[in-house]
Amino acid sequence: MKVSVILPVYNHARWVKQALDSVLAQSFTSFELIVIDDASQDASWDVIQAVCQANPTVRWQCVRHKTNQGAPATLNEGLKLAQGDFLAILNSDDVWEAGRLARLVSLAERESIDFISTDVALLDGDSKPKEAIERHWVAWFEALKQDYLTHADSWATLLRGNFLITTSNFFFHRRVYTQVGVFAELRYVHDYEYALRIWLAGFKTRFLMGEKLLGYRLHDSNTIREKPLAAIEENMRLLLGWLPRLQRVLDWQRLRGLEIQLLDLYRYTREEWLTIVHQRLVAREQELFPLITDRDGWIAERDAVIGDLQQQLVQHREWLAEREHWVGERDGWILERDGYIAQRDGWIAERDAVIALHAQHLHDREQWVVERDGWIAERDTLIQQLQQQQQDLLASRAFRLGHALLNPLRRCKQWLTGGSHA
């Protein structure tokens, strides 16, 4: 078995079939394919099984983890399972050109090259070219390639930046693995650290510039893009930790490459911090915008309330003015009323005096009535006495005798009076 292809998979159900098909489509067919699903939570394993069943003649090793172990551990497991003279890695979201293995195997055997990488074509999620969209990434990669062209020192270019890009670009002889060993447990730069060990060990390497035999898919779920600041920090820690080991291989040109990468990392850190701050500000704005809208609504309502209150205040002042006028009129009415009351009190006093006088008069009248009744009683008694005396007189012989004696005289007087009058 000439080549062992190690294909780690994690949650790439969308692309893993393309990756597998690109291996199966190689013009060089003397390979085994080691597929390790690192406990994917999507349908990746179902896709792998379907491709395996559709290609029973291929030498497969399909492994599925029960728990996620991470990229370095998965790659190391694949390296331990590998039986080929050459080891090649392809991540489940990348693709190979059909002639990649044939080209690399032929070159490695012809020139006894230990490690080979190629140029890279940038792809999007739909496997379409993405160079026009990722201008900053392309500019960075082109600068690395131009740096290599100026001096053909891969050490200097590697210290300036990881021009290998990804473990999908790793093609190396088994003796490299035997000497260098397994990948370090680094989340973001395990490929870069492994390359530094290969170069430091003095293996013969080759970079096929201009031969884009690898399709590298750059998408939002790339591990390197999940936490850019963490990736930059891990890269800087790696370089700083490697400085003592690099001492014996550094010259001015390589030191200059290392300086450029550190400056780039510093700039990336600042840009990422600014981006994070901007994103947080934007997120905060998104939180604040509804509050601002609510605030503006409250201000509008407040202004409306203030307007109503001001109108009510004007009306209140008008009412106060009217009330003051009414109070003045009321006070005038009260003074007038008090005059009427004083006048009424005078009338009442006069009435009470009249009533008292009348009461006195009534008392006097009652006394007079009592006296009058006494007089009347006395008179009636006297009259009765007189009447009785009159009756007694009229009934007496003397009165009758006198009346009889005087009767002729009265008639003569009446005759004389009557006659004189005629």
Side-chain angles (χ1 to χ4, degrees):
M1 186 60 58
K2 185 66 68 173
V3 179
S4 293
V5 179
I6 302 167
L7 201 150
V9 183
Y10 181 66
N11 287 345
H12 284 161
R14 180 182 178 186
W15 302 300
V16 65
K17 186 177 186 304
Q18 295 180 38
L20 292 169
D21 288 344
S22 73
V23 177
L24 299 176
Q26 292 296 306
S27 58
F28 181 87
T29 59
S30 182
F31 64 83
E32 66 172 344
L33 184 52
I34 303 170
V35 183
I36 305 177
D37 181 8
D38 192 21
S40 294
Q41 298 176 353
D42 60 6
S44 295
W45 182 247
D46 295 333
V47 176
I48 295 168
Q49 291 294 95
V51 176
C52 288
Q53 293 172 8
N55 298 272
T57 60
V58 176
R59 184 171 179 179
W60 294 90
Q61 292 191 64
C62 294
V63 179
R64 187 183 190 187
H65 291 163
K66 293 183 179 180
T67 58
N68 183 263
Q69 299 180 23
T74 303
L75 289 172
N76 293 334
E77 182 177 355
L79 291 173
K80 291 177 183 179
L81 294 173
Q83 300 296 319
D85 296 329
F86 292 96
L87 307 173
I89 300 172
L90 177 63
N91 295 316
S92 54
D93 54 346
D94 298 330
V95 293
W96 282 343
E97 290 296 321
R100 177 181 172 90
L101 283 183
R103 171 78 170 108
L104 300 187
V105 171
S106 174
L107 179 61
E109 290 184 332
R110 185 173 66 252
E111 301 185 18
S112 298
I113 301 175
D114 299 305
F115 184 95
I116 304 175
S117 61
T118 72
D119 209 336
V120 172
L122 196 63
L123 303 177
D124 65 10
D126 298 321
S127 301
K128 297 178 181 179
K130 199 178 184 182
E131 282 83 357
I133 300 175
E134 297 287 348
R135 294 181 180 178
H136 293 292
W137 188 94
V138 171
W140 168 80
F141 188 40
E142 289 298 325
L144 290 177
K145 291 191 287 185
Q146 289 301 316
D147 179 77
Y148 179 73
L149 283 177
T150 60
H151 47 66
D153 182 358
S154 60
W155 247 126
T157 304
L158 187 63
L159 290 175
R160 180 168 177 171
N162 183 14
F163 64 89
L164 304 176
I165 304 301
T166 171
T167 50
S168 293
N169 210 0
F170 280 34
F171 177 88
F172 51 100
H173 197 277
R174 173 170 289 278
R175 58 179 168 266
V176 174
Y177 169 58
T178 301
Q179 181 173 340
V180 174
V182 298
F183 284 88
E185 285 294 332
L186 297 172
R187 179 165 183 78
Y188 303 104
V189 295
H190 53 276
D191 54 340
Y192 190 36
E193 192 272 345
Y194 203 79
L196 289 174
R197 278 192 277 156
I198 292 172
W199 260 254
L200 190 63
F203 285 104
K204 186 177 182 180
T205 64
R206 180 72 60 84
F207 173 55
L208 303 182
M209 185 181 299
E211 297 187 39
K212 296 184 178 183
L213 303 180
L214 169 64
Y216 174 62
R217 200 182 305 276
L218 194 59
H219 52 86
D220 292 338
S221 57
N222 282 111
T223 302
I224 198 69
R225 286 192 165 185
E226 67 177 10
K227 293 182 179 179
L229 281 176
I232 293 171
E233 180 183 5
E234 192 174 84
N235 197 343
M236 294 187 72
R237 286 181 178 273
L238 172 66
L239 292 174
L240 293 174
W242 264 73
L243 284 178
R245 302 168 68 179
L246 293 173
Q247 181 179 2
R248 62 185 176 87
V249 298
L250 287 178
D251 56 20
W252 181 89
Q253 187 168 266
R254 295 172 182 178
L255 189 60
R256 175 58 179 163
L258 181 60
E259 178 189 16
I260 291 173
Q261 181 176 188
L262 290 174
L263 289 174
D264 285 342
L265 291 174
Y266 174 78
R267 177 170 57 84
Y268 296 154
T269 301
R270 181 176 182 276
E271 290 175 354
E272 285 300 324
W273 270 116
L274 291 176
T275 300
I276 290 174
V277 171
H278 174 72
Q279 291 173 346
R280 289 179 179 176
L281 288 175
V282 170
R284 186 59 177 166
E285 284 181 348
Q286 297 304 315
E287 295 176 1
L288 292 177
F289 280 156
L291 298 178
I292 292 172
T293 301
D294 291 343
R295 183 207 64 184
D296 293 341
W298 298 335
I299 290 175
E301 292 178 1
R302 182 207 64 186
D303 292 342
V305 171
I306 290 174
D308 292 340
L309 290 175
Q310 289 176 339
Q311 182 64 30
Q312 293 176 11
L313 183 60
V314 171
Q315 294 176 352
H316 179 69
R317 288 173 178 171
E318 293 177 352
W319 178 82
L320 286 177
E322 292 178 358
R323 191 201 66 174
E324 293 298 329
H325 177 71
W326 176 83
V327 169
E329 291 182 348
R330 183 207 62 184
D331 292 342
W333 297 337
I334 290 173
L335 290 175
E336 186 176 356
R337 182 208 63 184
D338 291 343
Y340 293 152
I341 290 173
Q343 187 177 8
R344 183 206 64 183
D345 292 341
W347 294 340
I348 290 173
E350 291 178 1
R351 183 205 64 186
D352 292 342
V354 171
I355 290 172
L357 180 61
H358 181 67
Q360 182 64 39
H361 289 166
L362 286 177
H363 181 265
D364 294 343
R365 176 178 172 276
E366 288 176 353
Q367 288 183 345
W368 177 82
V369 168
V370 170
E371 291 178 357
R372 183 204 63 182
D373 291 342
W375 296 338
I376 291 172
E378 291 179 359
R379 184 203 64 182
D380 291 342
T381 300
L382 180 61
I383 290 173
Q384 289 177 358
Q385 291 175 356
L386 291 175
Q387 287 176 347
Q388 186 61 44
Q389 291 176 3
Q390 183 183 11
Q391 292 294 330
D392 293 340
L393 179 62
L394 291 175
S396 65
R397 289 182 66 187
F399 177 78
R400 289 194 304 268
L401 178 62
H403 181 73
L405 291 176
L406 291 175
N407 195 30
L409 292 175
R410 289 189 189 100
R411 293 178 178 175
C412 287
K413 185 180 181 179
Q414 291 177 349
W415 179 80
L416 288 175
T417 303
S420 178
H421 179 73

